[in-house]
Amino acid sequence: MQTTRSPAPSSGTSSSGTSSSLFGGITLAALAALIALPLILPSATLATEIVIFAMAALACNLLLGYTGLLSFGQAIFFGIGAYLSSLVMIHLGAGLIMALVVAAIAGALAAALVGALAIRRTGIYFVMLTLAFTQLAYFIAYTASDWTGGDNGLLDVPRPPLALGGLVIADLEPAVSYYIFVAALFLLLFVAARRIIGSPFGSTLVAIRENPDRAAAVGYDTRQFKILAFTLSGAITGIAGALYAMLLHFAPLSNIELPMSENILIMTIIGGTGSLLGSLLGSTAIVLLGDWLSAIWPRWLMLLGIALIGVVIFMRGGLWGGIEGVVAKLRERRGGPEA
């Protein structure tokens, strides 16, 4: 589905793509945010949850923000990553790296299959197909209770130490240690996503988002590019699902439910579509609002809805767009119209 045109991101993702730009500017801002989260928040576990969902929102942004595909299928890849990584750790004794590799491959394959089938239709029909695939995946997980635990979820998910070649590098059971690992992995994926978006492949995705017919007319196989975008998004989302299962020591059925797709989409839109750093802002806002508002009022979802409506109405580009607007106004006041 082609969304409304959004401005090109100013986060350096569409620039030259050199190593200096990849590791400077917006990447330094992401690093600063990752360092600040566990220091500001009451627990490292809450900070870890934010970063994991930021990873899932970043993957969704590759589809929605850069390819123009509004997909409700993100829960499929999130849930499959959580289930398969947990199963190989529980039954095969797989280590951390192997579990994440399995989650990435499983998420990528599932996304390639869903993408290949769903992009045969456009507009609302594409959206409904991704929604239908999510419901199908949910009922498969629900009925395969011997593997997934059904309503009870998959229990006793381990959190293996970070090890290479039998050498234990770090014990990840402490909450702070696990946060450092998740944050480092997010930063690595963030830089990789910036490189992808700044490459000719990323420029082609943006061209498809803006005008798929014109992109096809100049010779691009838009179907293949969309499937590749789905595959990349699915791989990253699968990794996020695996990390979430290790965080909880539990893989609940809700990981593969439609509300999970909705949450990831909301984080992406609130943070700012077309902005990779917006993914981190969106996940921070939604997770913290849910955590704080639930302590104020049992019907906190109503308050969350009001807050989201305010962001959508008054911040057209999401939280990141609002920040950019404030910075632009401050520059104009300091330097005059020429600035």
Side-chain angles (χ1 to χ4, degrees):
M1 178 177 181
Q2 186 174 353
T3 60
T4 55
R5 180 174 179 173
S6 58
S10 59
S11 56
T13 56
S14 57
S15 58
S16 61
T18 61
S19 59
S20 60
S21 64
L22 284 176
F23 294 97
I26 210 69
T27 303
L28 292 179
L31 176 61
L34 293 173
I35 294 173
L37 278 176
L39 301 177
I40 297 174
L41 299 179
S43 71
T45 301
L46 183 60
T48 305
E49 182 180 359
I50 289 173
V51 176
I52 289 173
F53 280 110
M55 199 178 296
L58 183 147
C60 184
N61 227 330
L62 291 176
L63 283 180
L64 179 60
Y66 293 95
T67 317
L69 297 172
L70 177 61
S71 168
F72 280 92
Q74 300 305 106
I76 303 174
F77 324 134
F78 194 89
I80 285 178
Y83 281 132
L84 289 187
S85 63
S86 300
L87 288 171
V88 297
M89 288 188 293
I90 293 172
H91 297 291
L92 301 180
L96 177 70
I97 303 300
M98 180 58 66
L100 293 179
V101 170
V102 168
I105 294 174
L109 292 176
L113 177 61
V114 171
L117 296 173
I119 63 172
R120 295 175 182 272
R121 296 292 179 265
T122 58
I124 190 63
Y125 302 104
F126 167 82
V127 176
M128 294 303 294
L129 276 174
T130 60
L131 190 151
F133 281 123
T134 302
Q135 291 295 89
L136 176 62
Y138 166 77
F139 282 110
I140 290 175
Y142 178 79
T143 54
S145 57
D146 291 341
W147 292 97
T148 65
D151 269 338
N152 297 323
L154 195 57
L155 306 176
D156 301 323
V157 176
R159 189 189 299 171
L162 177 61
L164 289 175
L167 177 64
V168 176
I169 299 175
D171 179 15
L172 300 183
E173 277 300 329
V176 175
S177 299
Y178 191 58
Y179 173 80
I180 293 173
F181 171 74
V182 172
L185 184 56
F186 172 82
L187 194 64
L188 178 64
L189 292 173
F190 185 89
V191 172
R194 288 192 65 192
R195 181 66 186 91
I196 291 171
I197 297 304
S199 68
F201 173 75
S203 300
T204 305
L205 293 182
V206 174
I208 293 172
R209 179 196 70 189
E210 296 297 320
N211 196 321
D213 294 333
R214 185 173 296 175
V218 297
Y220 290 114
D221 188 342
T222 58
R223 182 175 182 273
Q224 294 300 324
F225 276 95
K226 289 179 180 179
I227 293 176
L228 285 174
F230 254 103
T231 304
L232 287 171
S233 179
I236 298 174
T237 309
I239 293 174
L243 293 172
Y244 193 55
M246 295 180 204
L247 173 69
L248 302 179
H249 291 293
F250 169 59
L253 187 62
S254 60
N255 279 356
I256 204 167
E257 279 188 297
L258 181 62
M260 178 60 73
S261 289
E262 295 172 352
N263 287 338
I264 294 173
L265 276 171
I266 290 173
M267 291 175 186
T268 304
I269 294 170
I270 293 301
T273 55
S275 167
L276 296 179
L277 187 59
S279 304
L280 183 57
L281 294 175
S283 67
T284 302
I286 298 303
V287 173
L288 289 185
L289 281 175
D291 185 65
W292 293 339
L293 295 180
S294 61
I296 298 175
W297 193 28
R299 299 182 180 179
W300 61 274
L301 284 174
M302 183 181 297
L303 299 177
L304 179 60
I306 294 173
L308 297 183
I309 290 172
V311 171
V312 171
I313 292 177
F314 298 106
M315 296 184 182
R316 185 177 178 183
L319 294 175
W320 179 248
I323 292 173
E324 285 186 321
V326 171
V327 171
K329 289 182 180 179
L330 291 176
R331 286 178 176 175
E332 288 181 1
R333 290 180 180 179
R334 290 180 179 180
E338 293 182 359

